[in-house]
Structures are given as structure tokens and as C-alpha cells.
Amino acid sequence: MGIGLWISVLRTGIGIVTQLFCTALLAFVLSRKEFIFRKQATFYYVLTMYVSGGMVPTFLLFRNLGFINSFWVYIIPGLVSAYNMIVIRTYINGLPDSLQESAMIDGAGYFTIFARIIAPLCKPVFATVALFIGVGQWNSWFDTMLYNRMNPQLTTLQYELMKLLSTVSTMTGSSANAYSNNNTKTMLTTASVQAAATVLTCLPIVVLYPFLQRYFVTGMTIGGVKE
């Protein structure tokens, strides 16, 4: 459990930073009207939301890339999310063009515009996407079962809780029979384990949300441009 907790915290922290950065950069590029292939690129990313290569080809690809029994299988495959990219791109498209045009007149490049103008104005949507990524990374256990179940040093808390719940479910069935025959006074139930697992699952998100709540505001660009 201790190792699983550490790996879950580590993958969640690194995942939020790397995925948010890569997704935000992609969203900024695809929001540029001067990028002539933005419609085709957007269609390609949206297509991945509906069409997948399948579990077996994905497993073979990750094996050839050396991601099996590796911590980076938690990070690299999810560096860009098509859904989060669309959310951020839509928000960027709603920002006044005058802010970016004035920066370009002053000689700012695209990365400077992104870092000093777009990113500060996108704090609300960044906070929202960061929360999405954090919840997804923290609750993920299926990738651990597929790619890292043979390495106990790379297990996650959710995977350990899933195994514990499965074990308790099996034991509960046996205990029920024993209870009817031997009148056992106490019995561990699946519901009690589920309740404990729910608390452990929700606690980090409950702690994280107040720090992001202050960014869930509107009207941050009001007064930024006088037209």
C-alpha cells in the first residue's frame, strides 16, 4: 500500500504538469488562424476519440517501445488528450485577438505570446483540465494491471485497492457460509471495504479542489482591451 500510494502521488503530479503543458501547447497551435492545417489536425485528434487501435495492438506497441514494467507507461501515452485539447482551444478562441495582435506588433513571438498572454488568461480552463487529469491519473488502475502487474515496485494504490476488494469479495462469500454453519459473531463485508476504498480514493481530490477553486472564475479578460 505504501509503494502504491507513492507511485499514485508521483504519477498524478507528473501527469498533471506534463499533460497540461503538452495539451495546452497543442491547443494554442491549433487555435492559430494562420496555421493552414489546423482543421485537418483537429479532425485527426477528434477521430482518435472515436476510433482506437484496440487493446492487443496497443499492448504490442507499448512492448516494442519498452513501456512494459516502466513508470513512463503512466505518463507518455497520455501526454495529449483530444478532449482536453478541444476544451482549451475553445477557451483560447474566445480570447480577444487584439491582445495577441498588439503583442506581435511589439515583436513578441508565438511562445512569448503563449507564455505571457495566453497562459495567464487561461488559468480557469487550466485549473479545470488539471482537475480532470488529476482525477483520471489518481483513479487509474487498469493500465497498472495490463503493463506493470509483474513489478510490485510500480503498483498503484487503486490497483492494490482493487485487488483487496476482489479478495474481500471472495472471502465474504466463504464467510457467509461459515456464518450460517458456525454462527460467527463478526464478518467483514464488501460494503465496508468499498466505503474505506471510497474514502481513500476521494480524499486527495477533496484536498486538491480548494486550491483550484479560486481559478473557477469568469470575466478575467474584462478591461484587458479598450475598443
Side-chain angles (χ1 to χ4, degrees), residues 79-120:
L79 280 179
V80 174
S81 168
Y83 176 80
N84 293 336
M85 181 272 295
I86 293 174
V87 172
I88 299 177
R89 191 203 63 172
T90 303
Y91 190 92
I92 293 176
N93 287 335
L95 297 176
D97 293 334
S98 303
L99 290 172
Q100 305 171 47
E101 292 172 357
S102 60
M104 295 184 70
I105 292 175
D106 292 337
Y110 285 111
F111 190 80
T112 301
I113 294 175
F114 173 78
R116 304 190 64 176
I117 296 178
I118 300 299

